[in-house]
Amino acid sequence: GLSELKLSREQVDITILEIPSKGLLGILPGKKAKVLVREIFDAAAFAGQWLEQLIKHMDIVARVETINDGEAVRLRVYGRELGALIGRHGQTLEALQYLTSLAVNRRAGKFVPLLLDIGDYRKKREESIARLAEQSARKVKNTGKKVVLNPMNAADRRIVHITLSDDEEVQTYSIDD
């Protein structure tokens, strides 16, 4: 089974379905053992390798770090000149996350949560949105007028709500189009 699958013993799970028997007095033929050999799928390793290959095809030199923290597979991409992988307002990053997630989930046969960050873009973006939320809250407190922020995706709106959730003087709400 290992040679057919071209895998090592560490990469598979083996279950014995039937124990072999020698037969009866050498007259009746015996039965061969039946085993089930299943590949152990490592979503984090697969995601990292898949994304590295994709980035390599884009002629970008980068390193992918993978972490499986039990909640999600987290991928971090490090390197120089990562702007092309991030794209305008993180659109390319979101597309790469979506494609990697599709590849991993298809291979796993089930949903595997996956988060991709390139050059700490998400962290910097979160800090930037939190600062914007706090500045807007100060403006609301000083003027007494509501402040309308530019349209944001759901994840960015969530950052605004979380940042201002403990401020009792400010109320936040979203309008979805």
Side-chain angles (χ1 to χ4, degrees):
L2 294 175
S3 61
E4 268 184 48
L5 294 171
K6 297 178 183 154
L7 297 170
S8 69
R9 175 64 182 97
E10 295 78 33
Q11 295 173 302
V12 298
D13 181 32
I14 299 175
T15 305
I16 299 172
L17 301 174
E18 285 184 25
I19 296 175
S21 66
K22 292 185 178 183
L24 184 63
L25 301 172
I27 302 170
L28 297 174
K31 293 191 302 185
K32 291 184 178 181
K34 286 188 183 179
V35 294
L36 176 63
V37 180
R38 259 188 303 215
E39 180 180 7
I40 299 170
F41 180 68
D42 183 348
F46 178 83
Q49 291 169 356
W50 192 91
L51 184 59
E52 275 183 356
Q53 288 301 311
L54 181 61
I55 292 170
K56 187 177 178 182
H57 286 299
M58 296 171 75
D59 290 328
I60 295 173
V61 178
R63 180 175 55 89
V64 177
E65 175 186 283
T66 60
I67 300 164
N68 191 347
D69 64 9
E71 278 185 36
V73 172
R74 298 179 191 280
L75 301 164
R76 289 192 181 123
V77 179
Y78 299 100
R80 293 184 180 178
E81 301 176 22
L82 298 174
L85 293 177
I86 296 169
R88 188 170 184 261
H89 299 297
Q91 289 176 325
T92 306
L93 182 151
E94 291 294 332
L96 289 170
Q97 177 176 296
Y98 177 71
L99 291 172
T100 306
S101 184
L102 282 178
V104 170
N105 290 328
R106 183 173 190 178
R107 181 75 166 73
K110 62 178 183 169
F111 177 71
V112 177
L114 187 135
L115 296 167
L116 171 63
D117 195 3
I118 299 173
D120 289 329
Y121 173 82
R122 287 193 192 276
K123 181 180 174 186
K124 293 172 189 171
R125 176 90 174 141
E126 185 174 322
E127 290 168 355
S128 172
I129 291 170
R131 278 193 308 275
L132 173 66
E134 289 165 351
Q135 289 170 354
S136 299
R138 280 193 298 277
K139 189 174 181 181
V140 166
K141 291 174 190 177
N142 291 337
T143 65
K145 296 180 182 178
K146 76 176 182 177
V147 172
V148 178
L149 301 176
N150 289 331
M152 297 179 182
N153 64 34
D156 291 350
R157 290 193 307 267
R158 184 173 183 269
I159 295 167
V160 171
H161 295 305
I162 289 171
T163 302
L164 300 176
S165 64
D166 293 335
D167 191 333
E168 295 177 6
E169 298 178 64
V170 178
Q171 180 182 6
T172 63
Y173 61 93
S174 296
I175 302 172
D176 239 351
D177 288 332

